[in-house]
Amino acid sequence: MIEPYNKLVKLAARAFYDDLTSKGDNQPKTGRSDNRGIAVVVLDALTRRQWVREEDLAKDLKLHTKQLRRTLRFFEEEKIITRDHRRETAKGAKIYSAAVAATADGQQTAKEGEEKVKLHTHSYCCLDYAQIYDVIRYRLHRMKHKLKDELENKNTLQEYICPNCAKRYNALDALRLVSFEDEDFHCESCNGRLEVESDKIASQEGGDGDDNARRRRREKLKDMLQKMEVQLKPLMDQLSRVKDLPVPEFGSLQAWEARASAAVRAANGDINAGDSKISQLGYNGVPMPYSGDTKVVVDFNNAEGKGEGVKSETDGTGLKVLPPWMITSGMNLTKEQRGEVKQEAKMDGTSTSTAAQYTDDKKSTIGLEDNKNIQDEYIKAYYAALLKQQQELEEAAKTQLSNTPPADDPSSSTSNRQVGMKSKREEDDDGTEWEEAPFTGNGNEGYKVDLNVEAEEVPADQEEDDDVDWEEG
Amino acid sequence: MFFHIVLERNMQLHPRYFGRNLRENLVSKLMKDVEGTCSGRHGFVVAVTGIENIGKGLIRDGTGFVTFPVKYQCVVFRPFKGEILEAVVTMVNKMGFFAEAGPVQIFVSNHLIPDDMEFQSGDMPNYTTSDGSVKIQKDSEVRLKIIGTRVDATEIFCIGTIKDDFLGVINDPATV
Ligand SMILES: [Zn+2]
C-alpha cells in the first residue's frame, strides 16, 4: 500500500529537487562542494524508513548531520516531511530504538547500562505522504497555470518595480502610484519612477513590444507547456494511480513509537523485561515507579461490610425514614420509618442519651403505638433484601475474579452482620441522622430544651447543630 | 453586482434633534452617513431605500448623545472578479488607463489592452489602433472585465482587462 506512494515521492524528487543544492550561502561554489542530488538521495532513503532519528539517517547516508539537517529543513518547508524534536536522555532515545527494532522485525535487547542523565535534543523526521500528494498536485497546478496565463497573456497582474529602492508594486496598487505631475507611476517611498517588472519567463530574452518578439515568446511558452506535459507525465500518472489509495499514515512520533512497541510486545507474546522497563521510562528519562502486574484481590470481609452499607441505603430507599414533621398521630408506621429501629440497635456511647431522649421526645409528641406485626414484616423484608444484596455481590465478585475462593454462605454472612461491622455502620448512619433529624424535626422546641440542659455533654458535631438552631431560633 | 440588502448601524444623534422630527432627522443623517461609503464586505452603499426598524435609543453617559440601532435596506454595489462592467475612462497614461464604474475605480494596465493599440502621448494621451479607428482617451466609455479586486476594510479597487472578445470601447466621445 505504501509502494505507489514511495514511487510518487521518488518521481517528485527527481522532477523537482534534482538540482537542489543544500549549500550554505557563505560557502564558495567549488566543484567539490557541489552536492546536487543529495535531496534525491535523502528522499529515497526516507521512503525506506518511517520515523527516523536524523543522526541515524546522517550516519546511514554518510552525510554530515549539518548538511542533512539543511536539506531536511528545506523539505520541511516544502511540506514534504514532518519533523519532531525533543529533549531526551540516552534512555529516552531507547524508546525510539525499541520502536525501530519493532518495525525492522529485529530483536533489540535494550541494555540497561550506566547512562548519563544529560538531556540531548534529538530530531526525528518522517515523510508526510498525505501532504506530499497535495503538494505535488498544487505544484503542478501552479506550473501549468502560470504558463497558460502567460501564454494567453491574460489575467496576469502587472508588476512594477522601483529602480531605486527595488520596492515592488502591482496593478492593484495603481491608484496610489499615480502622480499628477506626469503620467508615470511613482514609488511611494522614494518617489522614483516605477518600471514595468519583467521577470516573466518569456520576456527574459528582452525585446517586448515588437511582433516578432511576441511571437517568439508565444512559441517558447507553448514549447515549455508541451515539454512539461511530456516530462511530467510519469509523475501525473503516478498521482492518478495513488488517488484512490489510502494514504500511509505513521502518526506523530510518539504515537508511532507506542504502536511499534505494542506490536513487538504482541509478537513476543509476553512482556520481556527490557521492553517493559523501557516503557516505564518517561521521555525525559525519569523512571516512572514500577507498578508491577496489576493484581485484583477481592477481600470478602471488606466487601461484606461494604455490601451492608449499600444494602442499608437501598433499604432506606425502600422504606424511607419519614422526617418527624411528616409523622402525624394515627399514622400507621413502622419503627424504621420513624427512625426508631436504628437508634435502638445502635450500641455505642457518645450520643446515646440524646438519641434516647430524642426518641422519647418523638414518642411523646407523636404518641404512636408500636405495631408488632408491621415490625416483623419489616424485619423479614429487611433480611430478604439483605440476602439478595449479598448474592448479587457474590455474583459480581465471581464474574470479576473466577479463581477467588467462594464467598461465605450468604445466610451465615447475614448472621455475621450483627457482630462485626454492624455497629460501626450503624454509627455512621446515626451520625447522618443526627444531623438531619433535629433540623427538620417538629420536636425542635423540645429538643432545644434538652440541648440547653445538656449543653456541656454534647459532642462536637452536635454543637454544630446547636449553632444552626441558634441561628434559626 | 448590485444587491439589495439589510444592514444595521448604530446612529448617534445629538440631543438637539430630539423632537417631533426625530425619525426624519435620524433617516436623513443615516443617508448622509452611509451613502457613498464602501465596506470591503458589502461593497459600496449606493442608496438607502428604506428603514426596517429603529431600536430603542440609549443615552450615552456624559454627552447626552443617544445611540439608536437602525436597521435599513439599501442597494450596494460589490464588484467581483470575472464581472463585466461598463466604465468611463478617467485617466490615460503609458502604464494603462483608469476608469470608473459608478463608485468603483478600475485600472487597466497596458498589457491588458489589445496588442494592436499603441499609446500616444500628448495633451490628450490615448491608446489608438494603427488605423486610428479605435481610440481610448479620457471620457471614453469602455466595457471591461474585472480580473482582480483589492478589498480593504473601507476600499475596493479593481483591475480589469479589455483584451477579450466584445470588450473595449463602446462609445467614443470623439466620434459621436
Ligand atoms: Zn522606491
Side-chain angles (χ1 to χ4, degrees), chain A residues 212-227:
Chain A
N212 257 349
R214 206 168 276 156
R215 209 179 308 120
R216 268 209 312 278
R217 195 165 69 192
R218 288 183 67 85
E219 289 302 309
K220 194 181 170 190
L221 282 168
K222 253 185 205 157
D223 198 38
M224 278 182 81
L225 204 60
Q226 258 169 11
K227 268 190 197 156

Side-chain angles (χ1 to χ4, degrees), chain B residues 77-99:
Chain B
F77 176 62
R78 170 76 159 80
F80 289 95
K81 200 171 158 177
E83 189 176 350
I84 308 279
L85 288 180
E86 286 169 13
V88 179
V89 175
T90 54
M91 187 175 87
V92 179
N93 66 22
K94 68 169 187 177
M95 297 297 193
F97 66 84
F98 289 87

Side-chain angles (χ1 to χ4, degrees), chain A residues 162-167 169 186-194:
Chain A
C162 172
N164 301 334
C165 64
K167 195 167 176 187
Y169 302 90
H186 287 267
C187 175
E188 278 183 318
S189 356
C190 67
N191 204 31
R193 189 171 295 182
L194 297 186

